[in-house]
Amino acid sequence: MSASLIYDLARSDGTPRPPERHRQKLAAWESRNGKGRLIRKQGKRGIGNACLSPDFTLHEGDFGTNSVITIRIHRTFSLDSSLTFKVIARPQLGYIRVFDRAGDNAELVHLAANRQAAEEWLTRHSYPNAVLEEVTADEVAAARAEGRVAA
């Protein structure tokens, strides 16, 4: 996984939001329109005779009580999706990304403001193969040069 591809996204199907009183239409609209943090991308891969197209996964939220997460919402989208995705935020210089493991299928599990905060987070969560990566000045400059800065 390229660490420079971790950012917050908004997705849209281009339709206007229905009024609150139309609960079923609103629920359907919300399933196609929302926000999330890109946590994983996977290239084209094969399983047996089947070939799976490239996709990416967004973390859309956590639900629970008293600091205990009981449900984590992840949604995976194919690159062939008809939805429109827009970058709304990028990690700042000096932030630390915590991945669950090294390699192409690594998943972002936490984004910390600094290395100390990332290491403290790791002491409370069980990721024995975690990898820490810092957002570097070169990465931020490359995003600006390529015009990829969030609006």
Side-chain angles (χ1 to χ4, degrees):
M1 164 169 284
S2 171
S4 64
L5 295 177
I6 300 301
Y7 41 76
D8 295 339
L9 297 172
R11 70 177 189 285
S12 172
D13 65 359
T15 61
R17 182 183 167 132
E20 294 290 327
R21 68 181 183 274
H22 297 281
R23 292 183 184 174
Q24 288 181 335
K25 289 181 182 179
L26 182 59
W29 182 87
E30 287 174 341
S31 73
R32 294 183 313 272
N33 297 270
K35 297 177 184 176
R37 174 164 290 155
L38 179 66
I39 59 169
R40 180 180 7 180
K41 69 178 188 84
Q42 292 183 307
K44 188 175 180 179
R45 61 207 180 281
I47 298 177
N49 290 335
C51 185
L52 303 173
S53 64
D55 61 38
F56 58 95
T57 302
L58 299 181
H59 174 229
E60 294 188 344
D62 295 327
F63 295 96
T65 57
N66 299 330
S67 302
V68 176
I69 297 170
T70 55
I71 298 174
R72 182 161 275 161
I73 306 298
H74 289 178
R75 290 203 183 170
T76 300
F77 300 91
S78 170
L79 290 185
D80 300 337
S81 174
S82 62
L83 299 174
T84 302
F85 293 86
K86 178 182 175 184
V87 175
I88 56 174
R90 292 185 176 280
Q92 297 175 10
L93 178 65
Y95 269 55
I96 303 294
R97 299 177 192 91
V98 181
F99 292 99
D100 63 347
R101 63 185 168 270
D104 290 337
N105 292 325
E107 181 177 306
L108 179 76
V109 291
H110 185 67
L111 184 62
N114 55 50
R115 184 164 294 276
Q116 180 182 355
E119 290 171 353
E120 287 174 8
W121 184 88
L122 276 173
T123 63
R124 295 186 313 273
H125 298 83
S126 180
Y127 288 96
N129 299 319
V131 175
L132 303 179
E133 291 185 10
E134 183 175 353
V135 177
T136 65
D138 290 342
E139 190 178 319
V140 172
R144 290 185 195 281
E146 293 177 17
R148 297 185 313 182
V149 176

